Amino acid sequence: MNESIERIRRLADLGRADTALVGGKNASLGEMIRNLTQAGIRVPDGFATTADAYREFIAHNDLEVPMTEKLAELAPDQRNLAGIGEAVRAMILDGELQPPLVEEVLAAYRGLPGRRSRRGASVAVRSSATAEDLPEASFAGQLDSFLNVRGEAALLDAIKRCFASLFTDRAIIYRQNNGFEHMQVALSVGVQIMVRADKGGAGVMFSIDTETGFPRSVMIDAAWGLGETVVQGMLEPDRYAVFKPLLNDASLTPIIEKALGAKAQKMVYARGRGDVGEATSRLVKTSRKERDAYVLTEEEILTLARWACAIEDHYGQPMDMEWARDGEDDALYIVQARPETVQSRRERGRFRRYHLKSTGKQLLSGQAIGDAIASGHVCRLGSAAEIDRFKPGSVLVTGNTGPDWVPIMKRAAAIVTEHGGRTSHAAIVSRELGLPAVVGAEGAMSVLKDGAEITVSCAEGATGCVYEGTADFDIEDIDLGSIAQTRTRVMLNLANPAAALQWWQLPADGVGLARMEFIIGNAIQVHPMALLKPEAVTERKALRQIQTLTRGFDDPADYFVDTLARGLARIAAVFHPLPTIVRMSDFKTNEYAELIGGAAFEPDEENPMLGWRGASRYYSAGYREGFALECRAIRQAREELGFTNIVIMIPFCRSPDEADQVLGVLADNGLIRGRDGLEVYVMAELPANVLLATEFAERFDGFSIGSNDLTQLILGVDRDSELLSTVFDERNPAVMKAIAQLLAAARESRTHTGLCGQAPSDHPEFARFLVEHGIDSISVTPDSFVSVKQVVIDIERELDAPGAAADADR
C-alpha cells in the first residue's frame, strides 16, 4: 500500500477547497465547523474518508477494468441498466477494504466524542461524491446514507455500501445524462456523531423561497423523527417562513408563515444490532398530540433562520440545508449544507407578455383575467370535491369557484368559469396565481368537452377567448430594470398570502390594497364570532370543522388572530418597508354567513351590498368582539412580527360620526392613529365620502378610492348585474366629476389619495385622468402592473414636456 495516501480527514480540518478530496457534502461540513461554530452554529463532529482512499480501494481489489467493461455494456436505451448496476455494485460489495483504511477508520471512530455505548458511538454514515454540489450539477439524493450505525463491523460495512452506492441505477443515469465519466467520479464517506432526531425532529431549510425565488425569506420544513421523511417527501411537514431583514431585532418574531402539517408518521431507529445489512430505521404512526403540535418552538424557528442567514452570508449564495434537533439534549444541529441550485440560478428582473399569432375556432368568450395565454386539456368539475379527477396542467372548467377550489386552481394551466366577473373569486385568485382565466363564459360547461384540447387567451384586451386546439403565440420578456420611476406611485392589489411573494420582482411602490376578508375566507374559513361563542353554533359538522382547523391552539380565537396576522405579514413582506394598506374585513352579511359557523351570527338582508357591512359592523354589538380579533391580528403583525409598514383602511364608512366611533374602537383595541407611526385610511366609495371629504380628511390620513362601489352608488347600478353591464362604467362623467372633486379636496387638506379599482388597468384614458388630477397612487392587479406603469410614465413625460403647462391652461 502507498503510505503517502491521505485516507482520513477530520471534518474540522476540511474546508470548501477540499471538494476534490472529500466531495462537496463533507467539504461543506468542515467549512461550517471551522468557520461558523463561533456564530453558535452546531455541526456534529466526525471524519471523512478521502477520494484517494476510494481509488485505493478500487485498485486494491483490481476493479477498475471489470467495472469499466461492465459499464461500457450499458445499452443506449438503458434497457439493461438494472443488470449493469447490480453487477457493478456486487463487485464493490465483494471486495475488501484495504487494511490501512480499516485501521485509520477504526482509530478515528474510537476517538469520536459524545455519547457512547458498549459497542461504540452511534453515527450517521453518508456518501459524498467529488462532483457533488457543484453549481452546474447536484448529486443530492443520488447516493446512499446510513443512520444509527453502531459498532466497528457495522461502520466498515456501511462504508463499503456507500462506495457501492456510487453505482446505484439513479446515479449511473444521472452521470450519463450530465456528462460525467463514471470512473472519474470518486466517493468520500462522511462519518458524523448521530443526532438523536428520532427522539426529536428534523427537516430541511432554504435561505430563499423555493417557489418564487423571493430572496428575503428563510423556508423551514419540520417533522418528528429522522429527517429522511422530509427529504424524501414522505409526509406533509410543518412549514415555517421567516422574514430575514427583521431577524436582527431581538424584540421581534418575524415568522410570516407557520403552517401545521399532518405529520402522520415519523421515522425512528429500528430495534436491532445496528448492522447496516438490517433495517436501521422504521416508520411509525405519530400520536395525536404530535400531529396537533408544532415540531419547532418560535425560538427554535428564529434560531434556525439566523443560522441560515449566517451560512448564506458565509457562502455568498442561497443555501439548501438539513437540520436536526436532538431529543435528548434539545440542541439544534446543521447536518448538511449545499448551494441552492434552482431559484438562485434563474434570471431576475424580467417580466413576461403574450402575443397571439394564430388560433383555431373560437368556442367561447367572457371577461379576460390576466394577460397570459395557456393551452391544455379540458377538465370539467361540478364541485371542488372532485379534485382527484383533476390532472395537473389541465384547464379547469366549472360554473364558479370559492375557497375550496384553491388547491385545484393552483394545479391548473388556465381557468374558465360560466359565471362571475372581475371581482369574483375565480378572477381574484387567477390574477394572483398568474393564471389566464375567462370568467362569465356562458355555456362553458356544455360547450367545452372533457379531454378536449383548448387555448385560453387573455392577451387580446378586456375580452377573453377560448379557442379550439393549441394556438400559436409569442412570449415577450420585459426587462423590469428599464422601467422608469414615476411621481405617481403604482402599487399592487394583493389578497392571497400564498401567491403574494411571486410578485416581488415587480418595481411596485408597495401594496395599495390587501384584502383582509380574502385571508379570512380562504385561510381561516371560520366566522370569528363562532370562535368566540361556539355555544351559538348548533351544526355538528361546523363544530367538527372548527375543531379540526383550530388544532394546535389552546384558544380557538388565537387561531383566527395568528393566521390572519401571519397572512397579512406575508403580504407586507413583499415590498417592505414600502407601505401595505390593509383593508379591514369587508364581507357582506351573506358572505359572512357562508363562513363556517357564520349562519348563527348573520341577519338575512334583502340587499347585503347596501346593508350591514364595513364600518357599521366594527362598533356594533353583533360584531364588535369579532372586530377586536381583527385588531389583535393587526397589532401582532405590526408589533410582534415587525411589519410597521402596515396601514389600516376602513371600508364603507358612511359618515364622520361613524368614523369617530370606528376610530374609538380601534383605540380601545390598542390601535391609536399616529402612535408608532400608525396611519389609518378610509375607502372613498360612497357619495358621502366625496361630499364630506373635508370632514373625513380631518379624521383619516388618506383616501383610497374604491371605483367599483363609487360607480355603483353614483349611477345606481348593481355592479354584478349582467343585464346592466353596459351601463356600469367608471368613465361616466358623473363618476369622474366626483373623483375630481375628492382629489381637489384632499389636495387642499394635504391628505393622501389613491385608487384601487380595476378602471386604470382597463382604460388608459382613466389612468390619464387620475394622473392629471394629481392622485398620489394607483393600485392595480399584478397582471396589469407593467402596462399601467408604462401608461403613467408616458403621461408624466407628456405633462413634464416644455409647453405642456401652457397647453393645459389654454
mmCIF file with all atom_site columns, all heavy atoms in Angstrom, residues 622-634:
data_model
loop_
_atom_site.group_PDB
_atom_site.id
_atom_site.type_symbol
_atom_site.label_atom_id
_atom_site.label_alt_id
_atom_site.label_comp_id
_atom_site.label_asym_id
_atom_site.label_entity_id
_atom_site.label_seq_id
_atom_site.pdbx_PDB_ins_code
_atom_site.Cartn_x
_atom_site.Cartn_y
_atom_site.Cartn_z
_atom_site.occupancy
_atom_site.B_iso_or_equiv
_atom_site.pdbx_formal_charge
_atom_site.auth_seq_id
_atom_site.auth_comp_id
_atom_site.auth_asym_id
_atom_site.auth_atom_id
_atom_site.pdbx_PDB_model_num
ATOM 1   N N   . GLY A 1 622 ? -73.181 43.273 17.578 1.00 0.00 ? 622 GLY A N   1
ATOM 2   C CA  . GLY A 1 622 ? -73.183 41.967 16.914 1.00 0.00 ? 622 GLY A CA  1
ATOM 3   C C   . GLY A 1 622 ? -71.846 41.537 16.346 1.00 0.00 ? 622 GLY A C   1
ATOM 4   O O   . GLY A 1 622 ? -71.657 40.356 16.030 1.00 0.00 ? 622 GLY A O   1
ATOM 5   N N   . TYR A 1 623 ? -70.905 42.497 16.209 1.00 0.00 ? 623 TYR A N   1
ATOM 6   C CA  . TYR A 1 623 ? -69.617 42.104 15.625 1.00 0.00 ? 623 TYR A CA  1
ATOM 7   C C   . TYR A 1 623 ? -68.413 42.741 16.329 1.00 0.00 ? 623 TYR A C   1
ATOM 8   O O   . TYR A 1 623 ? -67.275 42.406 16.037 1.00 0.00 ? 623 TYR A O   1
ATOM 9   C CB  . TYR A 1 623 ? -69.578 42.469 14.129 1.00 0.00 ? 623 TYR A CB  1
ATOM 10  C CG  . TYR A 1 623 ? -68.366 41.888 13.419 1.00 0.00 ? 623 TYR A CG  1
ATOM 11  C CD1 . TYR A 1 623 ? -68.293 40.528 13.136 1.00 0.00 ? 623 TYR A CD1 1
ATOM 12  C CD2 . TYR A 1 623 ? -67.278 42.693 13.069 1.00 0.00 ? 623 TYR A CD2 1
ATOM 13  C CE1 . TYR A 1 623 ? -67.178 39.984 12.519 1.00 0.00 ? 623 TYR A CE1 1
ATOM 14  C CE2 . TYR A 1 623 ? -66.157 42.158 12.448 1.00 0.00 ? 623 TYR A CE2 1
ATOM 15  C CZ  . TYR A 1 623 ? -66.114 40.806 12.177 1.00 0.00 ? 623 TYR A CZ  1
ATOM 16  O OH  . TYR A 1 623 ? -65.012 40.260 11.576 1.00 0.00 ? 623 TYR A OH  1
ATOM 17  N N   . ARG A 1 624 ? -68.645 43.599 17.270 1.00 0.00 ? 624 ARG A N   1
ATOM 18  C CA  . ARG A 1 624 ? -67.537 44.331 17.904 1.00 0.00 ? 624 ARG A CA  1
ATOM 19  C C   . ARG A 1 624 ? -66.446 43.386 18.417 1.00 0.00 ? 624 ARG A C   1
ATOM 20  O O   . ARG A 1 624 ? -65.255 43.663 18.277 1.00 0.00 ? 624 ARG A O   1
ATOM 21  C CB  . ARG A 1 624 ? -68.081 45.195 19.035 1.00 0.00 ? 624 ARG A CB  1
ATOM 22  C CG  . ARG A 1 624 ? -67.038 46.109 19.647 1.00 0.00 ? 624 ARG A CG  1
ATOM 23  C CD  . ARG A 1 624 ? -67.668 47.046 20.665 1.00 0.00 ? 624 ARG A CD  1
ATOM 24  N NE  . ARG A 1 624 ? -66.683 47.964 21.215 1.00 0.00 ? 624 ARG A NE  1
ATOM 25  C CZ  . ARG A 1 624 ? -66.863 49.277 21.342 1.00 0.00 ? 624 ARG A CZ  1
ATOM 26  N NH1 . ARG A 1 624 ? -67.991 49.816 20.929 1.00 0.00 ? 624 ARG A NH1 1
ATOM 27  N NH2 . ARG A 1 624 ? -65.927 50.039 21.863 1.00 0.00 ? 624 ARG A NH2 1
ATOM 28  N N   . GLU A 1 625 ? -66.844 42.261 19.017 1.00 0.00 ? 625 GLU A N   1
ATOM 29  C CA  . GLU A 1 625 ? -65.839 41.321 19.527 1.00 0.00 ? 625 GLU A CA  1
ATOM 30  C C   . GLU A 1 625 ? -65.065 40.658 18.389 1.00 0.00 ? 625 GLU A C   1
ATOM 31  O O   . GLU A 1 625 ? -63.866 40.364 18.514 1.00 0.00 ? 625 GLU A O   1
ATOM 32  C CB  . GLU A 1 625 ? -66.515 40.248 20.384 1.00 0.00 ? 625 GLU A CB  1
ATOM 33  C CG  . GLU A 1 625 ? -67.106 40.767 21.681 1.00 0.00 ? 625 GLU A CG  1
ATOM 34  C CD  . GLU A 1 625 ? -67.901 39.695 22.400 1.00 0.00 ? 625 GLU A CD  1
ATOM 35  O OE1 . GLU A 1 625 ? -67.304 38.962 23.213 1.00 0.00 ? 625 GLU A OE1 1
ATOM 36  O OE2 . GLU A 1 625 ? -69.109 39.581 22.123 1.00 0.00 ? 625 GLU A OE2 1
ATOM 37  N N   . GLY A 1 626 ? -65.739 40.407 17.264 1.00 0.00 ? 626 GLY A N   1
ATOM 38  C CA  . GLY A 1 626 ? -65.047 39.863 16.097 1.00 0.00 ? 626 GLY A CA  1
ATOM 39  C C   . GLY A 1 626 ? -64.054 40.856 15.545 1.00 0.00 ? 626 GLY A C   1
ATOM 40  O O   . GLY A 1 626 ? -62.934 40.495 15.160 1.00 0.00 ? 626 GLY A O   1
ATOM 41  N N   . PHE A 1 627 ? -64.442 42.136 15.511 1.00 0.00 ? 627 PHE A N   1
ATOM 42  C CA  . PHE A 1 627 ? -63.530 43.180 15.045 1.00 0.00 ? 627 PHE A CA  1
ATOM 43  C C   . PHE A 1 627 ? -62.321 43.298 15.959 1.00 0.00 ? 627 PHE A C   1
ATOM 44  O O   . PHE A 1 627 ? -61.211 43.589 15.502 1.00 0.00 ? 627 PHE A O   1
ATOM 45  C CB  . PHE A 1 627 ? -64.265 44.521 14.952 1.00 0.00 ? 627 PHE A CB  1
ATOM 46  C CG  . PHE A 1 627 ? -63.439 45.633 14.380 1.00 0.00 ? 627 PHE A CG  1
ATOM 47  C CD1 . PHE A 1 627 ? -63.002 45.590 13.059 1.00 0.00 ? 627 PHE A CD1 1
ATOM 48  C CD2 . PHE A 1 627 ? -63.075 46.711 15.163 1.00 0.00 ? 627 PHE A CD2 1
ATOM 49  C CE1 . PHE A 1 627 ? -62.236 46.622 12.528 1.00 0.00 ? 627 PHE A CE1 1
ATOM 50  C CE2 . PHE A 1 627 ? -62.302 47.751 14.648 1.00 0.00 ? 627 PHE A CE2 1
ATOM 51  C CZ  . PHE A 1 627 ? -61.882 47.698 13.320 1.00 0.00 ? 627 PHE A CZ  1
ATOM 52  N N   . ALA A 1 628 ? -62.520 43.039 17.236 1.00 0.00 ? 628 ALA A N   1
ATOM 53  C CA  . ALA A 1 628 ? -61.396 43.080 18.181 1.00 0.00 ? 628 ALA A CA  1
ATOM 54  C C   . ALA A 1 628 ? -60.336 42.045 17.804 1.00 0.00 ? 628 ALA A C   1
ATOM 55  O O   . ALA A 1 628 ? -59.131 42.289 17.979 1.00 0.00 ? 628 ALA A O   1
ATOM 56  C CB  . ALA A 1 628 ? -61.888 42.842 19.602 1.00 0.00 ? 628 ALA A CB  1
ATOM 57  N N   . LEU A 1 629 ? -60.777 40.892 17.271 1.00 0.00 ? 629 LEU A N   1
ATOM 58  C CA  . LEU A 1 629 ? -59.806 39.892 16.818 1.00 0.00 ? 629 LEU A CA  1
ATOM 59  C C   . LEU A 1 629 ? -59.024 40.406 15.607 1.00 0.00 ? 629 LEU A C   1
ATOM 60  O O   . LEU A 1 629 ? -57.827 40.170 15.488 1.00 0.00 ? 629 LEU A O   1
ATOM 61  C CB  . LEU A 1 629 ? -60.520 38.586 16.468 1.00 0.00 ? 629 LEU A CB  1
ATOM 62  C CG  . LEU A 1 629 ? -61.260 37.857 17.592 1.00 0.00 ? 629 LEU A CG  1
ATOM 63  C CD1 . LEU A 1 629 ? -61.777 36.503 17.086 1.00 0.00 ? 629 LEU A CD1 1
ATOM 64  C CD2 . LEU A 1 629 ? -60.348 37.647 18.798 1.00 0.00 ? 629 LEU A CD2 1
ATOM 65  N N   . GLU A 1 630 ? -59.701 41.110 14.711 1.00 0.00 ? 630 GLU A N   1
ATOM 66  C CA  . GLU A 1 630 ? -59.008 41.708 13.569 1.00 0.00 ? 630 GLU A CA  1
ATOM 67  C C   . GLU A 1 630 ? -57.954 42.689 14.067 1.00 0.00 ? 630 GLU A C   1
ATOM 68  O O   . GLU A 1 630 ? -56.826 42.735 13.549 1.00 0.00 ? 630 GLU A O   1
ATOM 69  C CB  . GLU A 1 630 ? -60.001 42.418 12.656 1.00 0.00 ? 630 GLU A CB  1
ATOM 70  C CG  . GLU A 1 630 ? -61.037 41.517 12.004 1.00 0.00 ? 630 GLU A CG  1
ATOM 71  C CD  . GLU A 1 630 ? -61.988 42.273 11.087 1.00 0.00 ? 630 GLU A CD  1
ATOM 72  O OE1 . GLU A 1 630 ? -61.576 43.339 10.578 1.00 0.00 ? 630 GLU A OE1 1
ATOM 73  O OE2 . GLU A 1 630 ? -63.123 41.814 10.875 1.00 0.00 ? 630 GLU A OE2 1
ATOM 74  N N   . CYS A 1 631 ? -58.312 43.480 15.061 1.00 0.00 ? 631 CYS A N   1
ATOM 75  C CA  . CYS A 1 631 ? -57.364 44.453 15.617 1.00 0.00 ? 631 CYS A CA  1
ATOM 76  C C   . CYS A 1 631 ? -56.180 43.754 16.283 1.00 0.00 ? 631 CYS A C   1
ATOM 77  O O   . CYS A 1 631 ? -55.028 44.206 16.148 1.00 0.00 ? 631 CYS A O   1
ATOM 78  C CB  . CYS A 1 631 ? -58.074 45.352 16.633 1.00 0.00 ? 631 CYS A CB  1
ATOM 79  S SG  . CYS A 1 631 ? -59.328 46.426 15.907 1.00 0.00 ? 631 CYS A SG  1
ATOM 80  N N   . ARG A 1 632 ? -56.454 42.668 16.996 1.00 0.00 ? 632 ARG A N   1
ATOM 81  C CA  . ARG A 1 632 ? -55.355 41.902 17.604 1.00 0.00 ? 632 ARG A CA  1
ATOM 82  C C   . ARG A 1 632 ? -54.392 41.396 16.536 1.00 0.00 ? 632 ARG A C   1
ATOM 83  O O   . ARG A 1 632 ? -53.164 41.401 16.721 1.00 0.00 ? 632 ARG A O   1
ATOM 84  C CB  . ARG A 1 632 ? -55.907 40.727 18.404 1.00 0.00 ? 632 ARG A CB  1
ATOM 85  C CG  . ARG A 1 632 ? -56.404 41.056 19.813 1.00 0.00 ? 632 ARG A CG  1
ATOM 86  C CD  . ARG A 1 632 ? -56.929 39.802 20.506 1.00 0.00 ? 632 ARG A CD  1
ATOM 87  N NE  . ARG A 1 632 ? -55.942 38.715 20.521 1.00 0.00 ? 632 ARG A NE  1
ATOM 88  C CZ  . ARG A 1 632 ? -56.242 37.456 20.834 1.00 0.00 ? 632 ARG A CZ  1
ATOM 89  N NH1 . ARG A 1 632 ? -57.489 37.120 21.137 1.00 0.00 ? 632 ARG A NH1 1
ATOM 90  N NH2 . ARG A 1 632 ? -55.292 36.530 20.840 1.00 0.00 ? 632 ARG A NH2 1
ATOM 91  N N   . ALA A 1 633 ? -54.934 40.969 15.408 1.00 0.00 ? 633 ALA A N   1
ATOM 92  C CA  . ALA A 1 633 ? -54.089 40.475 14.317 1.00 0.00 ? 633 ALA A CA  1
ATOM 93  C C   . ALA A 1 633 ? -53.223 41.594 13.749 1.00 0.00 ? 633 ALA A C   1
ATOM 94  O O   . ALA A 1 633 ? -52.039 41.390 13.455 1.00 0.00 ? 633 ALA A O   1
ATOM 95  C CB  . ALA A 1 633 ? -54.959 39.861 13.223 1.00 0.00 ? 633 ALA A CB  1
ATOM 96  N N   . ILE A 1 634 ? -53.804 42.780 13.588 1.00 0.00 ? 634 ILE A N   1
ATOM 97  C CA  . ILE A 1 634 ? -53.029 43.929 13.105 1.00 0.00 ? 634 ILE A CA  1
ATOM 98  C C   . ILE A 1 634 ? -51.906 44.257 14.089 1.00 0.00 ? 634 ILE A C   1
ATOM 99  O O   . ILE A 1 634 ? -50.751 44.496 13.698 1.00 0.00 ? 634 ILE A O   1
ATOM 100 C CB  . ILE A 1 634 ? -53.930 45.152 12.898 1.00 0.00 ? 634 ILE A CB  1
ATOM 101 C CG1 . ILE A 1 634 ? -54.916 44.908 11.738 1.00 0.00 ? 634 ILE A CG1 1
ATOM 102 C CG2 . ILE A 1 634 ? -53.087 46.397 12.632 1.00 0.00 ? 634 ILE A CG2 1
ATOM 103 C CD1 . ILE A 1 634 ? -54.304 44.918 10.366 1.00 0.00 ? 634 ILE A CD1 1
#
